[in-house]
């Protein structure tokens, strides 16, 4: 397979060298009299930069950008006509005016610079089982040079994705610096909603009791309050997953065509529905755990035994209330089934599962079963609330109970969806979406 | 990388164009004076179909089959000798007598038609992270034409799977119309079993109480009954996962060779074991959730406090029954451990996990730990049942209790397996399976 | 695509033949007058070995190593100059002095032997959805021969990973015989710790009660004891995930460079942190399930109602203890949140998820959130213990309570980490890790 040269005997250079040797390439390291020879993979040769450059057509520059000048001085001419693979990353975005690869190209214009492998860590170069997932992003101005790098990539067992000319290098260098860009909005939203409902319910329940009844029930913050805030936010965020789809439907109906761009905010919203949904799932999971520990709580056990004792003292037994039994069992049951579908949505958004199903199957689960999930969870909250809203005690300080606020958005979404699936509207939307004029 | 032409500026055409441009291709759209120029990716050119066809060797036909006639009229000759990539899908199976790709080939016999990309959605063309999972299925009669398309596929970062000649096009076109074909049988089975046990236990418990004791315990349908039906069906389906393996073993013993085809029903059964198992897992998960909410139920709390009150009134305290404590704690404990192994089976059937382990490891978990799971769950149900079957009250209306019915298939499977792993039988089976004569 | 020859009509040969035919290859089987013609895929031809060999350049040897001699006799000369693909596996490691592929090469030196496909099962050749994960490992001495096999691999929809010369064949043949090599250490460790804590707590609780108080509480083994052992071991193993990272930091500080190899034991430890963590997660999951069933236990229900009855008899009501309510609710709450982060760590170690995130994101979750998880779980155990350590009754037989032992390692890790993140130390470590001299 020929010989490949690597400049730099650091972590990345060594890992790459080991992998290349494994795949049958010859490897020559270019190094300043490096001290870490003992760590180098066996079978590799080490030479000064300029000499090393002569041994191969392809040279990986496994050095930090700061040392490119040094490189230019020591081995500048030797690099002319070579394929230089820039693998470098920066510490933060916009650290330099131009991308590292373009900088390298400016320093050594006679070489063919290809940006590649910077999205792969030294770690994953070394390890690597039977799973061939990792994609290596590549860009560069010379097609031949890129092709050579693509071939090496394939020999190493990676898939290569061509990202075009060297101008794309900045994008590639930004990639490893990202920190969950699509998750920012959903997590911010969840945080804000959680904070809002926390203080709202704190006022309504704990502070109200402290002020009006002079009772300190602040211990309820840890579980009772949390177990109101999390499900409420989860339900609202679940509804927010399905709201943009409904809005898009109405917009398309109004426009009469699918070939008009959505407003930017709607586009951004639609792109982060997956993340919205997963955050909502995490909150629902918290709700379920908080619910399941209820019978173990000191407070609940104390209350139950207090109640039994008071019954005995009053010498009466409360009659069994069948309606109550139906209602509570129903909302438990519906909550459980809803939660299972919720998890199903989560499982199908795992990349390996969603890659294994076709579009129709994905839409069946995410859209059909997703709306069913929303419906079940909404019903669960309705049944939980039941006739509480009739009691005046529910409006402490004129604040609505939490579950009523939770139900607003889901109900809106369900009504909009109901309109969209009525036969006549559905037909119109389908015609528009199929794009036939 | 050259220029590629795309006919049709709809969703698919635009997404494909954007991806091609990103990867460094030139893109020319062929369009009737389309109104959605503003949506087209920057850098692409738009021309009338015939002119566009002259600019490139490869032409993607991103139009619906209905418009192929139109295409044939406007650009028929210009397409001669070109590689036409048919990406189209239909709305339902067998909508037309021949596949779209073959139809296109008939319309323009002088072109080289390749079917490809129809299994990829416009959406996944646009997005796409570092995960290189998606396979593009390709078929066509001309090897050179296919190779060109395969190269484009690789440049776009996909893996290509050659499916042979254009006759395979129908299969490719059917693929996106599938809706969980392997899941039909397991889900139908689960539904039937659930319905059967539901009505069986409804009769045995609720209706019996209504008729004989004149007590309305219909509220038990929501949780108590559900929590009998789901685990029973789950256990039976778990056993049905391992029954065909045992039957296959005995069949091979009887035949004396592994080179005889299994009867078709057994083959089909073996192919859907994964799906059977996952449905069973979902039902077990429901059982666990239904179990965990038991102490929170109004009915249970009411019963507990009633019981305490009655104890006081009778002025006696029930002695602590150590056997009872051992038995209940044991079946909880065994159920929990069984459930964990159950989940482990589920996790290893995630495509990305099963791709990362070798065959021996997969068999160790699925077959060895799978049988262990079955054993644990069966023991759990046995311990739950304990001596209930001795009491005459267990045979209301001469109907066996649910758990006894649940235990039949698992016990059969475990006995068969026990026979198969006895040293002498095991040796015979192993010899046959290794295929040495 | 040309014709390919397969020697052997067994499971593997047939599955491979079917896949090759699907992908458009011609297939000729070489067989002794085999009896399983009826099972062969349609479209394939069957000939005696020597004749079959003449039809193709590439020959897959889908036979067991035992029959290579037979092959050599019947078709020896016909194989000269051909590309022979050895797919064979052995029954156990080191069964033969040299690898199968090298043995084949010795038998037929005039052929080009390539080892490939032995890591792929007959099963996965037959099935195979849209997921292109499977990697085919390849090695061989002739580059041209390997390239031919790589091309076939790609046509079949697999990714190929070149592992170098034929000397690597042994490694490839060992691969399918592995049984979770990286999991051995963590599972052994978990087993030992579990056994130790089991007997420790058995002595401290059950045997002590039997000896000192003459009370038989052995039923507590099934749940109460298990629910002490599992969380303790889980917490210790979680801490052991993060201990080597801290030790590595201090070692690097001490060495003043990252270019010195870690001692072998530290290296091995660091490589199995993923497995350590997942085993710890499984144990934590057991702890959670064991905890959630507590209120359902006969023992607990009996105790609760006993207590209520005794209260009535004494005619007193215990006052509500707000501190107790705060404390118990807090440790529940913190345990739940800790468990959620724990699961998040688990989810991100799924190969398909970790492939979709970049290094920075992976480190953010695994390192930052991982330490947070450890902190939360440690706090949970602290709050659970609270002032128990002050009571003399906690030191039965001078044995410390379990939770105190559980807290040692986590606290050490957290303190070490705290030192490492203090600004001055952090700066030194970062400078060393960035590798600039
Ligand atoms: C737990 C949970 C997990 C979720 N996971 C995802 C997820 O992984 N991906 C996701 O998009 N939404 C996800 N969502 C959000 C939501 O379920 C979906 O966006 C759902 O499809 C919206 O349905 P709709 O009918 O409102 O959208 P519609 O607009 O009617 O149609 C579905 C939308 O899905 C998108 N889509 C189509 N095919 C694919 C595909 N193959 N891959 C990804 N997206 C496609 C299209 O943009 C289309 O607009 C998740 C929600 C929850 C609660
Ligand atoms: C929760 C759960 C999940 C399950 N997931 C799966 C699953 O993902 N795949 C599955 O086949 N069964 C799955 N099953 C069903 C069952 O566990 C297996 O089929 C099990 O291997 C049967 O064991 P056996 O000893 O009866 O089968 P045997 O016939 O003795 O042998 C195992 C069978 O597994 C098949 N097999 C071998 N290697 C592989 C491989 N690499 N990938 C897939 N299948 C292979 C072969 O056809 C072989 O016949 C699952 C069951 C449960 C409960
Ligand atoms: C439930 C659970 C799951 C876990 N899953 C994993 C896992 O999948 N992989 C894992 O390594 N550890 C895993 N761990 C162990 C632990 O969380 C990590 O090793 C963690 O990064 C250690 O942090 P540190 O700050 O101590 O390590 P540090 O040494 O400071 O740095 C992190 C280490 O992670 C390694 N690493 C860096 N990038 C990657 C990458 N892309 N893929 C894999 N490893 C990388 C490097 O060797 C580096 O030494 C898991 C732990 C738990 C509890
Ligand atoms: N580590 C990763 O996981 C990873 C992942 C993607 C990309 N990268 C990129 O790969 C490159 C190397 O990373 P690394 O982690 O291997 O870094 P490193 O360990 O610091 O190695 C850098 C190498 O550059 C050479 N070098 C250092 N100082 C020099 C100087 N003053 N003058 C000339 N040469 C000098 C050294 O080689 P000699 O001593 O042999 O001369 C040294 O081994 C960086 O650009 C990085 O962004 C790394
Ligand atoms: N969308 C997907 O996710 C997806 C996935 C796989 C396969 N496909 C297939 O890709 C093809 C295009 O799908 P699409 O979603 O892009 O559809 P689309 O949005 O409806 O676009 C179809 C295009 O065809 C052209 N066209 C429409 N009516 C025409 C007419 N009467 N005469 C001539 N040309 C006409 C139009 O292009 P001009 O206006 O520019 O002429 C239009 O943009 C279909 O065959 C579909 O099955 C789509
Ligand atoms: N099965 C798998 O999943 C798998 C996976 C990876 C690797 N492999 C490897 O593939 C090879 C074949 O495995 P297999 O499962 O297909 O085995 P198999 O079913 O036992 O088939 C072996 C074939 O070898 C031929 N053969 C048997 N005895 C022979 C003899 N005495 N003299 C000459 N030829 C004889 C037979 O073909 P004819 O009757 O046509 O002559 C027979 O079909 C093995 O080396 C195995 O390690 C198998
Ligand atoms: C606080 C967390 C609580 C955890 C609780 C449960 C599930 C919550 C799901 C959130 C997962 C987020 C993963 C983020 C990793 C990431 O960024 O991952 C990033 C990748 C790529 O995302 P982008 O496309 O946004 O870049 O995303 C994914 O791959 C999403 C994976 C989703 C996994 C969901 C799995 C759910 C499985 C069911 C678990 C069952 C648990 C409950 C059982 C009772
Ligand atoms: C009602 C659902 C309730 C959900 C409850 C739990 C798990 C149930 C598992 C069923 C999942 C089915 C996925 C279907 C998607 C599909 O068709 O997917 C289709 C693909 C491809 O299948 P085919 O090969 O059949 O085409 O299948 C898969 O990839 C299977 C993925 C299995 C995932 C199992 C994951 C279990 C992980 C553990 C979760 C823990 C939850 C419980 C914790 C306490
Ligand atoms: C007794 C098991 C109890 C199960 C309980 C829960 C989770 C335990 C996780 C252990 C999983 C080990 C998988 C081993 C397969 C393997 O060897 O797999 C081997 C592969 C490759 O590993 P190597 O790199 O070591 O070869 O490893 C993996 O792919 C690891 C997958 C990790 C999956 C973790 C998923 C957690 C998802 C969350 C589930 C939520 C459940 C709880 C909800 C309430
Ligand atoms: C296992 C499944 C579930 C169970 C057992 C369950 C149980 C409960 C219980 C017991 C309550 C009352 C809490 C209290 O007394 O404060 C409740 C409330 C609620 N649940 Fe669930 N639930 C489940 C799933 C869900 C899901 C998936 C959602 C969707 C997000 C949800 C949304 C809600 C909402 C909004 C409330 C009202 C909160 C309030 O204002 O008090 N639940 N649930
Ligand atoms: C966390 C794990 C588990 C726990 C805590 C648990 C608990 C229970 C309980 C409390 C019951 C009695 C229900 C009742 O009173 O009606 C029960 C019954 C039963 N369980 Fe489980 N279980 C678990 C896991 C499983 C699993 C994995 C299976 C396998 C499918 C299973 C199968 C059964 C069966 C068949 C019954 C008898 C149902 C009946 O006829 O009433 N359980 N379990
Ligand atoms: C859903 C989350 C959790 C809940 C509800 C929970 C609940 C509990 C409870 C009730 C106990 C007392 C057990 C007893 O009375 O014997 C306990 C103890 C303990 N928990 Fe958790 N826990 C959770 C998560 C965790 C996690 C993730 C860990 C980390 C490994 C953990 C570690 C411990 C430890 C070390 C003990 C002390 C065990 C002993 O010595 O008795 N817990 N937890």
């Amino acid at each position: 397979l020929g010989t490949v040269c690597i400049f730099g005997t650091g972590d990345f250079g060594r890992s790459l060298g080991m992998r290349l040797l494994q795949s049958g390439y010859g490897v020559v390291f270019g190094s300043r009299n490096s001290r870490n020879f003992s760590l180098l993979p066996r079978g590799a040769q080490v030479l000064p930069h300029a000499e090393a450059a002569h041994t191969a057509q392809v040279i990986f520059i496994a050095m930090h950008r700061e040392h490119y000048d040094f490189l230019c001085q020591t081995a500048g001419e030797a690099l002319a006509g070579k394929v230089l693979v820039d693998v470098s990353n920066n510490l933060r975005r916009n650290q330099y005016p131009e991308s590292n690869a373009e900088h390298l190209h400016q320093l050594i214009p006679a070489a063919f610079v290809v940006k590649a492998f910077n999205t792969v860590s030294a770690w994953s170069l070394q390890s690597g089982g039977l799973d061939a997932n990792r994609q290596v992003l590549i860009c560069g101005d010379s097609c031949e040079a890129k092709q050579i790098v693509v071939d090496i990539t394939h020999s190493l067992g990676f898939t290569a994705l061509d990202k075009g000319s060297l101008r794309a290098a900045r994008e590639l260098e930004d990639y490893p610096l990202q920190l969950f860009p699509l998750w920012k909005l959903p997590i911010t939203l969840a945080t804000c909603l959680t904070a809002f409902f926390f203080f709202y319910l704190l006022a309504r329940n704990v502070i109200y009791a402290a002020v009006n009844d002079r009772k300190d029930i602040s211990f309820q913050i840890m579980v009772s309050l949390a177990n109101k805030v999390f499900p409420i936010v989860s339900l609202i965020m679940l509804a927010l997953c399905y709201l943009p789809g409904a809005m898009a439907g109405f917009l398309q109906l109004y426009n009469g065509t699918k070939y008009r761009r959505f407003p930017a905010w709607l586009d951004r919203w639609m792109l982060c529905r997956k993340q919205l949904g997963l955050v909502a799932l995490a909150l629902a999971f918290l709700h379920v755990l908080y619910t399941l520990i209820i019978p173990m709580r000191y407070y609940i056990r104390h209350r139950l035994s207090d109640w039994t004792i008071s019954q005995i003292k009053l010498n009466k037994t409360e009659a069994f209330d069948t309606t109550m039994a139906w209602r509570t069992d129903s909302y438990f049951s519906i909550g459980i089934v809803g939660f299972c579908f919720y998890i199903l949505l989560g499982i199908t958004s795992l990349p390996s599962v969603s890659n294994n199903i076709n579009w129709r199957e994905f839409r069946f689960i995410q859209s059909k079963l997703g709306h069913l999930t929303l419906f079940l969870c909404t019903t669960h909250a309705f049944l939980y609330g039941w006739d509480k809203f009739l009691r005046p005690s529910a409006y402490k300080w004129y604040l609505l109970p939490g579950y009523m606020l939770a139900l607003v958005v889901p109900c809106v979404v369900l009504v909009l969806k109901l309109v969209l699936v009525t036969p006549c509207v559905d037909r119109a939307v389908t015609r528009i979406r199929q794009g036939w004029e």
Side-chain angles (χ1 to χ4, degrees), chain A residues 292-365:
Chain A
L292 294 180
I293 56 140
I294 288 180
M296 250 181 309
R297 293 174 65 200
Y298 169 71
Y299 166 61
I300 299 290
R301 287 210 315 247
H302 195 272
R303 215 177 52 180
L304 183 64
S305 107
D306 255 19
W307 188 81
T308 311
I309 294 171
S310 71
Q311 291 262 314
I312 300 224
K313 293 210 169 127
L314 298 172
N315 198 12
K316 72 168 187 194
T317 31
E318 205 198 37
F320 185 77
D321 177 353
T322 307
T323 316
M324 179 80 165
W326 262 105
R327 183 175 73 79
T328 52
D329 277 12
S330 298
Y331 87 70
F332 284 139
S333 208
I334 291 175
I336 289 173
V337 175
F339 182 59
C340 280
F341 281 115
Y342 224 139
I343 288 189
L344 188 65
L345 293 181
I347 291 175
T348 46
S349 50
L350 284 168
S352 68
V353 174
S354 62
N355 278 331
N356 258 310
I357 56 184
N358 67 38
W359 195 36
R360 193 170 162 226
E361 293 166 341
F362 185 84
R363 293 263 342 243
F364 174 77
I365 291 188

Side-chain angles (χ1 to χ4, degrees), chain A residues 96-329:
Chain A
Y96 300 103
E98 76 292 89
S99 69
N100 299 351
E102 285 166 306
H103 177 62
L104 183 62
H105 191 47
Q106 283 162 14
L107 288 177
I108 311 171
F112 305 105
V113 176
V114 175
K115 180 92 208 176
F117 283 97
N118 70 312
T119 55
V120 179
S121 72
W123 167 270
S124 54
L125 274 171
Q126 279 189 348
S127 64
L130 283 194
D131 202 38
N133 283 313
R134 273 280 162 192
Q135 248 179 8
V136 172
L137 306 181
I138 289 179
C139 73
D141 286 337
S142 153
C143 280
E144 291 75 36
K146 277 199 285 190
Q147 194 51 46
I148 294 174
V149 180
V150 166
D151 289 343
I152 294 177
T153 312
H154 285 161
S155 300
L156 298 186
F158 293 101
T159 323
L161 175 53
D162 192 328
K163 283 294 212 175
S165 75
L166 209 57
R167 258 171 309 141
R170 171 163 295 281
E171 192 193 323
L172 265 65
E173 289 175 12
D174 279 349
Y175 191 88
L177 299 172
Q178 282 177 2
L179 190 64
F180 295 116
L182 286 170
W183 293 80
K184 292 238 159 86
L185 191 60
I187 286 178
T188 315
L189 183 67
T191 316
C192 294
L193 282 174
T194 304
F196 169 72
F197 278 104
F198 177 75
F199 289 113
Y200 183 87
L201 293 173
L202 190 75
R204 218 186 145 274
N205 298 358
V206 180
I207 301 182
Y208 181 90
V211 172
N212 274 41
D213 315 344
R214 312 246 150 238
K215 267 209 319 216
D216 175 15
I217 54 167
S218 62
F219 71 90
Q220 295 209 349
I221 289 176
M222 290 312 279
V223 175
S224 307
L225 213 66
N227 198 22
K228 285 186 184 305
V229 173
F230 292 138
I232 289 175
V233 178
S234 174
L235 186 57
I236 293 178
M237 289 186 71
L238 180 62
L240 290 180
C241 275
Y242 294 97
L243 187 52
M247 288 167 70
F250 280 102
L251 214 65
Q252 289 175 337
L253 265 183
Y254 176 80
N255 287 337
T257 171
K258 69 170 178 177
Y259 298 125
R260 173 121 19 120
R261 239 188 213 130
F262 291 137
W265 56 267
L266 188 56
D267 247 0
R268 217 166 334 120
W269 189 352
M270 292 187 82
L271 276 177
C272 69
R273 285 180 297 175
K274 175 180 179 179
Q275 286 72 18
L276 268 177
L278 288 170
V279 172
L281 172 60
L283 294 171
F285 185 56
L286 280 171
H287 166 49
V288 172
L289 285 180
Y290 273 106
T291 297
L292 294 180
I293 56 140
I294 288 180
M296 250 181 309
R297 293 174 65 200
Y298 169 71
Y299 166 61
I300 299 290
R301 287 210 315 247
H302 195 272
R303 215 177 52 180
L304 183 64
S305 107
D306 255 19
W307 188 81
T308 311
I309 294 171
S310 71
Q311 291 262 314
I312 300 224
K313 293 210 169 127
L314 298 172
N315 198 12
K316 72 168 187 194
T317 31
E318 205 198 37
F320 185 77
D321 177 353
T322 307
T323 316
M324 179 80 165
W326 262 105
R327 183 175 73 79
T328 52
D329 277 12

